[in-house]
């Protein structure tokens, strides 16, 4: 049963910025299911997925057994590969799936570097 069957609102746009990498597998699956169920036909998902607040964070911390790319340092972090994101959001027509690097300004202190995957996908009509 999908959103249309139970009268739930659908959205033209879903925006999810740099949170996906913090979600454990079950929560990532819940997010994907919500996007699938609640994005209107032709609607757009904009999702960014940080590879870690710092590229140097990659591989730091305790590896999570059975979860390639997942580490716990101070918090859980899952570093997605391109194929994984393409699969997770394979129910959308992917218009963009690339890595971007940028400097994030902070109110205090030096800006810090980020590298994020950017996913733009359109729900089938
Ligand atoms: C890297 S920040 C991104 C914040 C904001 N979305 C942005 O792009 O500027 C990650 C945010 O995810 C939140 N967060 C951490 N774990 C979460 C979880 N399991 N579910 C939802 N949000 C979570 C944190 O509190 C934090 O605000």
């Amino acid at each position: 049963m999908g959103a249309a069957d139970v009268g739930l609102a659908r959205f033209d746009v879903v925006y999810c910025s740099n949170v996906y990498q913090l979600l454990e597998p079950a929560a990532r699956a819940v997010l994907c299911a919500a996007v699938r169920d609640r994005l209107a036909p032709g609607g757009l998902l904009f999702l960014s997925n940080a590879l870690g607040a710092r590229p140097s964070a990659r591989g730091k911390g305790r590896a999570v057994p059975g979860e390639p790319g997942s580490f716990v340092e101070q918090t859980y972090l899952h570093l997605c590969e391109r194929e994984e994101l393409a699969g997770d959001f394979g129910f959308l027509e992917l218009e963009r799936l690339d890595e971007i690097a940028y400097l994030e300004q902070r109110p205090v202190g030096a800006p810090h570097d980020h590298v994020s995957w950017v996913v733009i996908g359109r729900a089938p009509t």
Side-chain angles (χ1 to χ4, degrees), residues 17-19 21-23:
S17 169
N18 285 346
V19 171
Q21 73 282 351
L22 299 171
L23 303 180

Side-chain angles (χ1 to χ4, degrees), residues 19-92:
V19 171
Y20 199 67
Q21 73 282 351
L22 299 171
L23 303 180
E24 296 191 29
R28 296 200 297 274
V30 167
L31 186 147
C32 289
V35 171
R36 189 186 57 231
D37 286 349
R38 303 295 291 277
L39 203 53
L44 278 174
L45 167 72
F46 295 84
L47 179 138
S48 61
N49 176 75
L51 299 183
R54 296 152 284 129
S56 56
R58 176 172 274 279
K60 275 197 176 168
R62 177 175 56 80
V64 178
E67 271 190 50
S70 296
F71 303 90
V72 177
E73 190 179 17
Q74 291 172 338
T75 186
Y76 175 91
L77 182 64
H78 178 68
L79 306 172
C80 288
E81 300 295 338
R82 174 187 298 276
E83 297 71 24
E84 183 180 356
L85 284 167
D88 288 357
F89 297 99
F91 55 90
L92 300 173

